Amino acid sequence: MRLASILPPVRVLTWCTAALPLAAHAEDVGKIYQNNCASCHGDDLGGGSAPSMLDDAWTLGGTDEEIARTIRLGSLDNGMPAWEGALSEAEVRALVVFIRERRNAAAQADATHTASGGPARTVAGHTYRVEDVVSGVETPWSMAFLPDGRMLITEKPGRLRVLENGRLSAPVSGTPAVLDASQGGLMEVALHPAFKDNGWIYLAYSGRAPKGGERDGMTTLVRGRLRDGRWVDEEKIYVAPEGTFRTAGHHWGCRIAFDGQGYLFFTIGDRGAQDQAQQLDRPNGKVHRIHDDGRVPADNPFVGTAGALPTIWSFGHRNPQGLDFNPADGSLWSTEHGPRGGDELNLVQRGKNYGWPVITYGINYNGTPITERTSAPGMEQPVLHWTPSIAVCGIDFYEGAAFPQWEGALLVTALAGQDLRLLRFEGGKVVAQHSLLRGAGRVRDVGCGPDGAIYAALNGPDKIVRLVPVP
Ligand code: HEC
């Protein structure tokens, strides 16, 4: 089947539309807290006639589940009212997110920062220093290392640059025009696994609809080669079906990962239409799988499903902006921006539904609840979720020689959380999470350089830094 085959815009295969309708009077969680809780627990949650919720002394249990249960059932003998009936389950979930956010803000207020040129730090068995690699890049989004030691960097407004011996090239000419609006622009750059032989470089970006309005956009993929500072031999690799482009400026996904067997996986966010993440006739809210030249693999999970887009590999994603294969076992992992709360780390598997927006650990940005449901039959649970959100973006399994203790750990970037995290696994579960770049800026992408150093792309301040080992 060819990509150009256009499917009728029928609404098929909509999973679980039974998401609970929210009351029309859905209220901001800050107000819910002020009106119901602040009189006893204090305006800032720091305690009053009732205990503080900012410290680690939980007498009634400090997991999400336990906090929700305390709110629901109270502790009547000790003066904590029961809110079951007075507050909906979704509001109780929103309060749990709110309590987590406030605890996090209080903890950050006295956290130490990690800056370039600062003193060396020791974390998880290694001492490292942070160095500036290059500044003067505008909103760097993605990095790729060429075998000759040069580095490719995308800048979101639409430029591809080459970094050579610490010097940044002029923008490569001839790269595709992008919709540089809101979160969109030129995003991912990735090399073909056989780049040395074939020279293919892949770009993912916010592309305009071939036919349609000025602002109609969808995640688009091309490949091309670099010759004398020019982008040449361009081929279209993925263009979404006509009629599925959207004017929203956000949630493009836009990460690419190759499995080394000729398949290319890439992500598209929900493009601001959350319910479409559950619809198999829509490309948004999905992880897709294609051949490296754009053809659709005959064994994709929904190839035989009437009305479904054949490129879909998994669905029910909100905005996956991290994607990488674990070199140890070939499994595919993604990080996904949640709404307010509920950022996810997912093990991406063939044909599976990751639940957005039917289930989520997050709430709406305006503080109103989305749903009380954090799990449902037939929907995958994240391996890990971050509540409050740290705004997870690019990821990379560490494979370099410079930090042997970190071999196989997952590096996870955080924009709002201004951090680079190191996640260690045991038996498929995350057993430790270390902070490597706290407070250095919004971290957008991470990669391991040929020298084994860990490179991170920062947005605000816009620059590339690297973590180098200190003996
Ligand atoms: C009338 C006063 C009062 C109000 C109002 C109140 N609480 Fe409490 N709350 C308490 C008291 C007292 C305790 C301690 C109970 C105990 O130790 O058994 C408590 C305990 C808790 C705990 C457990 C703390 C721990 O250490 O395990 C949580 C969570 C909590 N409240 C959340 C809330 C939320 C959320 C609201 C608003 C929806 C709220 N409370 C409203 C008095 C209040």
Side-chain angles (χ1 to χ4, degrees):
M1 198 175 315
R2 289 192 51 82
L3 271 178
S5 66
I6 288 158
L7 290 152
V10 283
R11 287 181 149 243
V12 288
L13 297 161
T14 303
W15 258 254
C16 269
T17 40
L20 295 172
L22 283 174
H25 63 270
E27 208 182 7
D28 178 272
V29 66
K31 286 204 196 105
I32 299 174
Y33 178 84
Q34 280 304 324
N35 294 341
N36 301 289
C37 324
S39 56
C40 295
H41 288 280
D43 284 344
D44 63 351
L45 283 72
S49 62
S52 166
M53 290 192 265
L54 301 179
D55 57 25
D56 287 324
W58 293 104
T59 40
L60 303 173
T63 66
D64 282 13
E65 276 309 307
E66 288 164 336
I67 294 171
R69 207 196 60 215
T70 304
I71 299 172
R72 242 182 262 129
L73 306 179
S75 171
L76 300 176
D77 291 344
N78 294 321
M80 164 69 185
W83 299 92
E84 201 165 37
L87 295 175
S88 70
E89 269 304 291
E91 288 169 329
V92 171
R93 176 66 208 159
L95 279 165
V96 173
V97 174
F98 181 76
I99 292 168
R100 290 264 175 251
E101 286 177 345
R102 290 309 166 98
R103 288 173 57 78
N104 194 58
Q108 292 233 318
D110 42 38
T112 49
H113 287 194
T114 315
S116 297
R121 295 185 69 209
T122 303
V123 177
H126 282 294
T127 303
Y128 62 92
R129 191 169 278 132
V130 182
E131 291 177 356
D132 281 354
V133 175
V134 68
S135 51
V137 278
E138 187 182 350
T139 323
W141 211 94
S142 173
M143 304 172 287
F145 297 92
L146 296 173
D148 60 11
R150 293 181 298 164
M151 187 203 278
L152 301 177
I153 303 168
T154 55
E155 291 177 300
K156 191 181 93 65
R159 294 179 294 267
L160 175 67
R161 291 186 193 265
V162 186
L163 180 71
E164 186 171 8
N165 299 324
R167 297 236 317 274
L168 207 55
S169 75
V172 171
S173 62
T175 56
V178 303
L179 262 171
D180 174 28
S182 176
Q183 297 172 1
L186 177 57
M187 301 164 97
E188 176 80 316
V189 56
L191 302 187
H192 191 285
F195 172 85
K196 266 191 181 151
D197 303 322
N198 61 30
W200 285 123
I201 299 166
Y202 290 72
L203 299 174
Y205 61 97
S206 310
R208 284 209 167 80
K211 291 183 218 157
E214 260 292 279
R215 290 170 51 238
D216 288 342
M218 190 57 80
T219 304
T220 302
L221 271 66
V222 295
R223 70 177 177 185
R225 296 188 173 97
L226 195 60
R227 198 173 300 141
D228 306 324
R230 287 178 306 127
W231 177 254
V232 297
D233 304 338
E234 180 176 289
E235 294 178 2
K236 281 256 167 10
I237 295 297
Y238 177 81
V239 180
E242 198 180 332
T244 64
F245 285 66
R246 301 191 57 81
T247 55
H250 56 297
H251 298 181
W252 303 85
C254 250
R255 286 290 177 197
I256 294 176
F258 291 92
D259 68 352
Q261 334 258 308
Y263 297 106
L264 181 168
F265 292 74
F266 68 95
T267 63
I268 306 185
D270 71 8
R271 302 287 293 105
Q274 57 181 44
D275 293 338
Q276 291 182 355
Q278 292 290 322
Q279 296 172 12
L280 292 178
D281 60 345
R282 293 284 179 163
N284 35 328
K286 312 293 182 318
V287 174
H288 297 262
R289 176 188 188 241
I290 54 181
H291 288 291
D292 59 0
D293 60 359
R295 284 173 304 121
V296 181
D299 61 348
N300 267 2
F302 300 109
V303 160
T305 306
L309 297 178
T311 53
I312 295 173
W313 181 253
S314 63
F315 64 108
H317 298 284
R318 185 171 177 277
N319 193 20
Q321 292 205 310
L323 191 69
D324 197 22
F325 280 92
N326 184 344
D329 61 5
S331 53
L332 180 62
W333 294 75
S334 86
T335 41
E336 177 167 330
H337 293 280
R340 179 166 159 186
D343 286 2
E344 296 182 356
L345 173 67
N346 286 310
L347 175 60
V348 178
Q349 290 176 299
R350 177 193 165 81
K352 296 270 170 82
N353 180 357
Y354 289 81
W356 173 254
V358 180
I359 58 171
T360 173
Y361 286 89
I363 60 176
N364 285 313
Y365 285 114
N366 66 6
T368 57
I370 296 173
T371 167
E372 68 180 60
R373 296 213 278 173
T374 53
S375 66
M379 296 188 184
E380 301 307 303
Q381 281 291 298
V383 173
L384 184 75
H385 76 92
W386 288 269
T387 303
S389 294
I390 57 174
V392 282
C393 203
I395 58 173
D396 191 41
F397 281 94
Y398 183 72
E399 295 174 80
F403 299 103
Q405 303 282 329
W406 297 351
E407 179 77 34
L410 182 68
L411 294 159
V412 175
T413 63
L415 291 158
Q418 300 207 3
D419 205 353
L420 178 65
R421 302 266 174 101
L422 181 82
L423 273 53
R424 287 178 187 275
F425 295 86
E426 253 168 49
K429 291 219 161 66
V430 177
V431 292
Q433 199 176 150
H434 305 279
S435 172
L436 299 181
L437 262 183
R438 174 168 286 157
R442 295 162 60 78
V443 190
R444 170 87 64 189
D445 195 21
V446 61
C448 174
D451 51 354
I454 294 168
Y455 288 74
L458 268 53
N459 291 182
D462 288 359
K463 60 180 176 178
I464 310 286
V465 300
R466 72 175 162 221
L467 278 60
V468 291
V470 176

